[in-house]
Amino acid sequence: QTDDKINSEPKIKKLEPVLLPGEIVVNEVNFVRKCIATDTSQYDLWGKLICSNFKISFITDDPMPLQKFHYKNLLLGEHDVPLTCIEQIVTVNDHKRKQKVLGPNQKLKFNPTELIIYCKDFRVVRFRFDESGPESAKKVCLAIAHYSQPTDLQLLFAFEYVGKKYHNSVSSINGMSSGAGGAAGGGAASGSSQKTPLFESYSDWDREIKRTGASSWRVCSVNEGYMIATCLPEYFVVPSSLADQDLKIFSHSFVGRRMPLWCWSHSNGSALVRMALIKDVLQQRKIDQRICNAITKSHPQRSDVHKSDLDKTLPNIQDVQAAFVKLKHLCVNEPFEETEEKWLSSLESTRWLEYIRTFLKHSAELVYILERKHLSVILQEEEGRDLSCVVASLIQVMLDPHFRTITGFQSLIQKEWVMTGYQFLDRCNHLKRSEKESPLFLLFLDATWQLLEQYPAAFEFSETYLAVLHDSTRISLFGTFLFNSPHQRVKQSTEFAISKNIQLGDEKGLKFPSVWDWSLQFTAKDRTLFHNPLYIGKSTPCVQNGSVKSFKRTKKSYSSTLRGMPPSLKNGVISDPEFLPRRNSLILKLKPEPPEQAESQNSGVEQYFRDWFSTPVDLHGVILPRLSGIHIKLWKLCYFRWVPEAQISSGGAITAFHKASVLVDEVDVLSRMLRQHRGGPLPACFSETDQSRMYFQASGPHAASGTPDFLSSTFPFSPVGSLCRRSISGTPFSKFLSGARIWLSTETLANED
Amino acid sequence: MASAPTPKYNSHSLENESIKRTPRDGINWDLGEAVPRLPGEMRITDKEVIYICPFNGPIKGRVYITNYRLYLRSLETVCKHCRGSDESRCVLCGSGDSALILDVPLGVISRIEKMGGATSRGENSYGLDITCKDMRNLRFALKQEGHSRRDMFEILTRHAFPLAHNLPLFAFLNEEKFNVDGWMVYNPVEEYRRQGLPNHHWRITFINKCYELCDTYPALLVVPYRASDDDLRRVATFRSRNRIPVLSWIHPENKTVIVRCSQPLVGMSGKRNKDDEKYLDVIRETNKQISKLTIYDARPNVNAVANKLVLTGAIQVADKVSSGKSSVLVHCSDGWDRTAQLTSLAMLMLDSFYRSIEGFEILVQKEWISFGHKFASRIGHGDKNHADADRSPIFLQFIDCVWQMSKQFPTAFEFNEQFLITILDHLYSCRFGTFLFNCESARERQKVTEKTVSLWSLINSNKEKFKNPFYTKEINRVLYPVASMRHLELWVNYYIRWNPRIKQQQPNPVEQRYMELLALRDEYIKRLEELQITNSAKISDPPTSPASPSQIMPHVQTHF
């Protein structure tokens, strides 16, 4: 490996890490070479590798080669990896041809010449220690292994960070500085003044009841102080006919005391409810009956309740995890060229897309029950806090356009994931106790991406937003994705506060920063990349018959376009959307429902789907996923962004996104000018500030001069900093590791040290 | 509704023809019958049949056969909700019933078979089974009594395979008129001049003016300045079918070239040819700085695994040339199949001109049509021998690769998907002369440009329909697609377009939304102009706004 010394002598310079409050450097090593994704090592960077209690950081003076844009996370340098994002640590000594996967508190019997970090977000980062002190290299490796695999939740950096903030605030003023309280909205990011409701309070739930028009449902506070169940929120919504006293009694019969929780109500009165299994066999029928009756009573038509047993219809969390591991291997691990040949069959055999499809399909079928059959739906699952989160969220994204806005989507995640006790700590495996890991949240984001891909004008947010949101689950700074339940936050942080002498006053636990306070991670400019330029919001202006109107739709406007010439079937293809009646039109609704007859439910669903797909989409109504094989795609931005070989330079969907953004910006500018001429009121979508909503602007430095050079299919991410798997000093990477599969299982290598 | 009354984009060109009645499309409609008819198209027969629709089941209809097309209109109506023909009224929509229509140019038919016999039992077991080159399979059931299918079979066979019956291809009967003449699109001298040729090292030769040097090459060739006509003749003897190395494209700056030819005639003895070697040296020396020539032999196995390998090959060629490392000579066996794929794709990557609508037409006209890709043999126009081993979807594979590129670079191509689909539809339809015959000399003998209409006439007289709204004109950007299975996709809108269940959203929602935004911008600009006129008529309001419309408008308007 000596021929690698292409670069000049390692620089001797003081390189200082950028640290957050409460962050401390645990160990560091100088003269480290970071390998860069090119064929040669000529672009490799020299610098210092540090391990802190929050991240590993590579500090260098060398500029990042081959990268012409900056999309920077304010919490992390471009070479940094948060400790909670680390999946596996492999140390190598290539002279002795030894390697070892480092667990916590393990010994290392050789001095590593190389450190390879496999990240949960599919990055692979590689450092070489040819010029560094062998002992300090070893120490850093061990420190990384130790600190990335903490034994206790309170050792996660967020505690240290928030503790420091409290201390600082006491010494300065009473109250928190930035990031205080979770209620920081998508405000600055979304251009709307709305804040994301966190559903920690009574009033958030109450507002949601009113927003959906759910009569006969009430907010219940029996769980205040987590008196009934520690995995439920303090406030939740139940049928009005169920008294607190009954709920208290029933709660004992449910797994985890998780009684029925209302999620959402359709405008037709059908409700979406989730609940755990009733474990008490003797009471089962009785309680079940009581619950169903109560839900029926809360339905304006007193309709029956449809129950969906998710454990029986969907893959379980282990299945999903297994699929994800296979997907990860396929996307990251295997030598690129080897996977090319059988790419499609390999991809199919991961079953990832199949599972995405299954979740989407099942959710769409329940949309049919709620929307067409006017029945309330109960999602039933053993504990009711895994598959239910995905299905409840997808149903609401499909049915309610509010959840397709940024603020709405964030409130949905608060409502169906964070507050309802999705076990982020275990499922994200922040503490590396791998048996409970499962990427259900990613599965939900991926399924949402499928809908965004199919209905690009129906969502306020972009795919970058979804990818960045996923990345945020790997940063152990936000309280949002750190805990198994809201109660765990309160309990653990109260303990922590006591141990650190922090005065909580009347606050319930420490207030961790919320992930929805995007200003902690991105500048205002960078946050504009979350905005989908194609989105048609409620008040987005549009041109109709040559005159500009806003998209405000009343029921009246539906009927105006109802009848027209019958469309013809051309070449056996039925498609003439313009002449078809609008979905949700009055006339459709006035027509008698098709007689149910002996028609099996399946054909009813299919009929519903066929009807829906044969009429034009109302982007402010229901959207249903297309489910055939060709319509469920791999989310390339998310899974390929760190693979240099898969990067399309100056190409990818982002180039069209760029064009659309510039155009939207132009339209905004023109609209503002028109307004100034007229002195008229502002359309709601424009903020008072003159700051553009769009990342790419008409008058910016790249104005009208074509596609900027730095765009590529991975934008705003760059695979340059990730490891090149093509070859290392001419040796294919897989062979370099003696043919061992990367992502080595710990057992395989346990006895190799 | 977003899509409300905004412009309509149709999904299939053949389909459009059946519904548009504007004379600009050259379509007449038989009054009363509502069957489209091109000028020069003649009705031959019609018959009641049962169309066995693979998606909707059997449907009763009337088939009309002309000398250009088979046209079916269902007699029963199809409920678009139920997608079945059983119910005459749909409970949901009440009306909305519609006729099913099939519009099939006879040119796309590759095979007509009789199914069942006079004694076959079972419903709809007796009739015709028609296999099409555009991936359709049409089955018609007829009445068993009185050999009712016989005359339909004969008429179809006669007009679908006119060459076997001494009949002209429809293109020679087509009397369509367009306001643009597509035959004027490609002028080789102009195209080479655009590339900066001739120059000190390359000359244009008319040695093949009467197709004497090589009967499958174009009349006009670009060869090294230092090679004499005699040299060319000597080299021709050593190259399969005399297809000598000639220039296809030259890099405007580094002057490396792409040269194409057929394989050398290395016999059993492995003999080499001094003239040929000398000629290659001359080519190499046309570029003094680089003086390298890479020979890309596209013969082995390229056929096997589809578009990935074709794209990979073209990327290698383009990379060599663009990086200025070396000129490239591409050959396969005869230099008219894989060679055309590689050179034309490499040129598409290297030269942004070819990514415009006219540029692409020129590319096809030059690298494929003029250099003798054997369209007649590969497609089998008007020929009944459906199992002919010469048939091969080489050109389809090329268009597929172009589509893959357009997916990876959504703003780089002036044309849209519909443009490519239209080209493929008329590759088979025989409505235009563009893809007929195997080489330029044959076309000249048949007076194709005088007697037929060019496909580019149809396209260029209605260009808006084929434009990609995201197109950003760029000069000198080399595009390298990623030829990875991770990015290559199935071209659903072409290969699976006949299946209504699989069909993608039409129009493409991203494109549609963009068009709406364009319309909105234009509307705003119009209003601002109006306001400005009114305002300037009044006493001047001191300009308080940071930018007045007149300041921003020139910029805004430069986009398209």
Side-chain angles (χ1 to χ4, degrees), chain A residues 655-709:
Chain A
T655 55
F657 181 100
H658 164 259
K659 284 280 281 193
S661 303
V662 169
L663 181 55
V664 165
D665 192 54
E666 268 177 46
V667 170
D668 284 358
V669 168
L670 287 168
S671 157
R672 223 172 279 144
M673 284 163 57
L674 265 176
R675 220 171 41 241
Q676 279 168 347
H677 273 272
R678 288 211 188 105
L682 239 68
C685 62
F686 303 115
S687 53
E688 285 292 340
T689 60
D690 268 351
Q691 200 211 330
S692 171
R693 301 184 286 149
M694 292 294 128
Y695 186 80
F696 301 105
Q697 290 160 25
S699 49
H702 313 297
S705 57
T707 311
D709 280 337

Side-chain angles (χ1 to χ4, degrees), chain B residues 18 20 28 71 88 142 210 224 258 260 312 348 364 400 409 458 464 490 520:
Chain B
S18 66
K20 283 211 177 166
N28 294 326
Y71 189 86
S88 60
L142 290 109
C210 304
I258 298 177
R260 60 181 291 171
T312 307
L348 198 61
V364 168
D400 187 312
F409 302 99
L458 172 87
E464 285 309 312
L490 178 71
L520 187 63

Side-chain angles (χ1 to χ4, degrees), chain A residues 164-448:
Chain A
K164 188 62 97 191
K165 289 259 172 185
Y166 272 87
H167 276 298
N168 290 350
S169 69
V170 168
S171 57
S172 55
I173 28 161
N174 207 6
M176 297 272 300
S177 51
S178 76
S190 65
S192 69
S193 53
Q194 264 183 304
K195 288 196 168 183
T196 301
L198 298 178
F199 293 96
E200 285 175 351
S201 65
Y202 185 99
S203 57
D204 281 350
W205 286 104
D206 197 46
R207 262 194 295 275
E208 184 70 355
I209 290 180
K210 296 206 169 80
R211 191 187 69 80
T212 58
S215 50
S216 320
W217 294 85
R218 67 179 182 94
V219 186
C220 142
S221 2
V222 287
N223 200 35
E224 245 173 22
Y226 306 98
M227 298 302 282
I228 304 270
T230 51
C231 62
L232 287 180
E234 287 193 276
Y235 305 98
F236 49 87
V237 175
V238 295
S240 301
S241 58
L242 284 181
D244 282 0
Q245 200 48 44
D246 295 334
L247 288 168
K248 279 182 192 162
I249 296 166
F250 295 160
S251 71
H252 295 281
S253 306
F254 286 94
V255 175
R257 304 188 80 176
R258 291 179 67 91
M259 50 195 125
L261 305 175
W262 171 90
C263 305
W264 182 80
S265 280
H266 192 281
S267 57
N268 66 23
S270 311
L272 178 63
V273 176
R274 47 193 281 186
M275 73 183 197
L277 286 186
I278 303 167
K279 60 182 178 187
D280 184 343
V281 186
L282 295 172
Q283 299 281 313
Q284 205 168 15
R285 281 193 63 182
K286 195 187 108 199
I287 294 175
D288 200 58
Q289 201 60 52
R290 286 287 303 274
I291 301 288
C292 288
N293 285 344
I295 294 174
T296 298
K297 257 189 212 164
S298 291
H299 196 293
Q301 278 108 52
R302 306 285 180 268
S303 302
D304 277 342
V305 172
H306 174 94
K307 265 199 193 164
S308 172
D309 185 342
L310 302 182
D311 290 321
K312 287 195 181 126
T313 37
L314 294 170
N316 64 31
I317 61 164
Q318 289 84 10
D319 296 337
V320 174
Q321 172 67 3
F324 182 67
V325 168
K326 282 187 198 153
L327 179 72
K328 185 156 57 183
H329 277 247
L330 186 62
C331 289
V332 185
N333 263 341
E334 307 274 347
F336 187 85
E337 280 306 323
E338 271 176 40
T339 52
E340 273 293 293
E341 206 165 299
K342 290 186 177 164
W343 173 259
L344 290 174
S345 48
S346 312
L347 180 62
E348 190 186 3
S349 68
T350 67
R351 309 189 73 176
W352 180 253
L353 294 182
E354 179 193 326
Y355 290 163
I356 300 271
R357 181 179 180 276
T358 309
F359 275 89
L360 280 169
K361 181 163 185 281
H362 191 66
S363 306
E365 284 164 2
L366 295 174
V367 165
Y368 156 76
I369 304 284
L370 287 157
E371 155 104 347
R372 173 61 60 86
K373 297 193 81 175
H374 298 202
L375 301 182
S376 291
V377 168
I378 297 181
L379 306 176
Q380 203 158 36
E381 188 190 358
E382 182 165 5
E383 281 195 78
R385 55 201 294 205
D386 282 308
L387 309 176
S388 312
C389 302
V390 183
V391 175
S393 307
L394 285 177
I395 289 173
Q396 292 173 68
V397 167
M398 290 178 201
L399 277 168
D400 190 339
H402 171 64
F403 296 121
R404 305 196 286 260
T405 65
I406 291 180
T407 311
F409 190 71
Q410 296 180 164
S411 78
L412 182 68
I413 291 169
Q414 282 293 139
K415 183 163 70 116
E416 300 302 337
W417 296 78
V418 180
M419 294 315 293
T420 335
Y422 177 71
Q423 300 165 80
F424 279 103
L425 179 67
D426 292 343
R427 300 291 175 251
C428 297
N429 203 11
H430 292 316
L431 300 179
K432 311 281 188 303
R433 293 177 195 136
S434 55
E435 72 278 5
K436 286 183 183 170
E437 186 167 350
S438 186
L440 285 185
F441 186 64
L442 173 62
L443 185 130
F444 163 62
L445 296 181
D446 192 322
T448 304

Side-chain angles (χ1 to χ4, degrees), chain A residues 339-340 454 534 546 548 553 567 569 571-572 574 580 582 611 617 626 646 652 655 666 677 707 709, chain B residues 1 8 78 80-81 83 92 98-99 101 103 308 408 410 477 484-487 505 513 521 523 535 559:
Chain A
T339 52
E340 273 293 293
Q454 295 184 12
L534 302 171
V548 179
R553 209 166 285 107
L569 281 150
N571 280 347
I574 303 162
L580 296 178
R582 300 238 170 265
D611 291 350
V617 187
R626 288 171 165 73
T655 55
E666 268 177 46
H677 273 272
T707 311
D709 280 337
Chain B
M1 188 53 237
K8 181 184 165 187
V78 178
K80 66 179 172 297
H81 287 287
R83 299 273 160 103
L92 282 173
S98 51
I101 283 165
D103 189 356
K308 178 175 156 82
Q408 295 192 15
R477 166 120 58 189
S484 154
M485 291 311 292
R486 286 157 171 79
H487 287 296
Q505 274 169 286
R513 178 67 191 133
R521 184 189 66 181
E523 175 66 24
N535 282 1
H559 279 255

